[in-house]
Amino acid sequence: MPETSPSYRALVRAGSVIVPMLGLFDAKIRSGHLGRRAGGNRLVDWAGRSRDPARTLVWLHASSVGEGLQAESVLEELRQ
């Protein structure tokens, strides 16, 4: 697998500084940024409250309704 280009890495670093600053001026950007930062903690909290650790955990990502429907069939096979 090819290594990420230095220019791409530099842009990502710059974005990680710029986006929080843009949140000072735009509530939607601020909300999205804070929501992403808190996402990991929300998953950990959910696991502590609701997850049965005796059952296998599988995460499926679907970026569209069509992919969600495809993932549903995979999930049903895994449940069986």
Side-chain angles (χ1 to χ4, degrees):
M1 178 177 258
E3 189 174 313
T4 307
S5 71
S7 58
Y8 180 82
R9 288 193 305 262
L11 286 171
V12 169
R13 281 192 208 105
S16 69
V17 173
I18 293 169
V19 169
M21 291 183 347
L22 291 175
L24 296 173
F25 307 103
D26 187 299
K28 186 175 180 180
I29 292 174
R30 179 174 51 252
S31 174
H33 178 69
L34 293 175
R36 285 177 186 84
R37 289 188 60 189
N41 291 334
R42 286 195 308 270
L43 291 174
V44 169
D45 292 343
W46 165 81
R49 284 189 324 273
S50 306
R51 182 172 181 273
D52 178 1
R55 296 179 68 189
T56 302
L57 176 65
V58 176
W59 289 100
L60 299 175
H61 175 267
S63 59
S64 68
V65 173
E67 287 183 13
L69 293 173
Q70 290 175 339
E72 184 178 29
S73 64
V74 172
L75 180 61
E76 291 303 321
E77 287 293 319
L78 289 171
R79 282 185 176 153
Q80 291 177 6

